[in-house]
Amino acid sequence: MACKVLVVCGSPVVVSADLLRRLAGECDYVVAVDRGLDALLSAGLSCDVYVGDADTVSDAGRALVDAATDFEVERHDPYKDYTDLALALDAVRRRWPGAEVVATCATGGRPDMALSVLGLLAGYDDAPVWIAEDETTARILHEGESWIIEGHEGSTFSIIAIAPNTKVSEHGLEWELDHASLVLLADTGISNVVRSTATIQVHTGTAITYLYR
């Protein structure tokens, strides 16, 4: 059975310690991406694998990386061709093929980096990909994947196509769609409302879905 891996990204905007502890408890392994290690340490947690060039982690975090005995380290030269998250996802693939990924500390900071993070996570099509933040749970859905949402009546829900030729169906929402085509990055699926148990399906393409608590 495939495992679940928490990937703590290096965004300067971090999630709460409570959420980090809950996510770590729900996952089989934890991967820290550069200064994502600091977020874990602030929550009283560690990681199984550290991936990064250590250019943004704190001095205390860097000291732990330099002397690491309790977790694996994949240290990279800052003058590299790939971002730390790209390298971290590669590390997940090599260690735990087919692992489900839960990414956090992923959406804040520079907008160009945020878009890059979304692109990298969308490119991880080995297994389900979630993005967990304090107020939002997001899931990237590829062709043939679906998400059943239970117990969230009244919550705001959005879906955005992040690949061309994306076709989706939504049921159990205020405004439903049936094999509807979504234009790339268009606003058609923004700010819907969950009315009952909802089923979201992506028939073709790729979409990111957001459920707001």
Side-chain angles (χ1 to χ4, degrees):
M1 184 175 180
C3 63
K4 184 183 290 188
V5 180
L6 176 63
V7 177
V8 184
C9 303
S11 168
V13 180
V14 301
V15 300
S16 66
D18 286 344
L19 179 60
L20 274 175
R21 286 191 284 264
R22 178 174 67 78
L23 294 174
E26 293 173 352
C27 293
D28 300 288
Y29 301 98
V30 178
V31 175
V33 183
D34 212 329
R35 86 173 121 202
L37 179 60
D38 290 329
L40 287 165
L41 294 175
S42 68
L45 301 168
S46 186
C47 62
D48 296 288
V49 181
Y50 171 89
V51 181
D53 52 24
D55 66 339
T56 59
V57 72
S58 67
D59 290 342
R62 190 176 300 109
L64 283 178
V65 170
D66 290 340
T69 57
D70 296 330
F71 55 87
E72 294 183 65
V73 173
E74 288 196 13
R75 184 83 171 261
H76 296 273
D77 191 305
Y79 296 97
K80 59 189 186 303
D81 294 329
Y82 302 98
T83 65
D84 290 330
L85 177 58
L87 296 168
L89 292 175
D90 179 65
V92 170
R93 287 187 175 101
R94 284 186 279 105
R95 286 174 170 79
W96 309 291
E100 186 171 346
V101 165
V102 180
T104 191
C105 301
T107 60
R110 287 169 39 182
D112 57 338
M113 292 298 292
L115 283 172
S116 173
V117 166
L118 177 58
L120 287 168
L121 293 175
Y124 183 92
D125 55 6
D126 309 54
V129 178
W130 303 83
I131 303 171
E133 307 290 348
D134 285 302
E135 302 300 328
T136 312
T137 298
R139 181 170 174 186
I140 294 171
L141 294 174
H142 296 98
E143 180 175 331
E145 293 183 332
S146 61
W147 182 14
I148 297 176
I149 301 170
E150 297 180 298
H152 287 276
E153 289 79 2
S155 295
T156 298
F157 175 86
S158 292
I159 185 168
I160 301 171
I162 53 176
N165 304 314
T166 295
K167 186 175 292 186
V168 307
S169 293
E170 301 178 333
H171 301 288
L173 304 177
E174 181 75 14
W175 297 278
E176 298 191 334
L177 298 174
D178 186 12
H179 289 77
S181 295
L182 297 183
V183 176
L184 179 64
L185 298 179
D187 61 354
T188 306
I190 294 292
S191 294
N192 211 329
V193 181
V194 178
R195 290 306 185 202
S196 61
T197 296
T199 301
I200 316 301
Q201 296 174 289
V202 171
H203 305 290
T204 60
T206 305
I208 184 166
T209 57
Y210 295 91
L211 179 66
Y212 290 87
R213 288 184 287 279

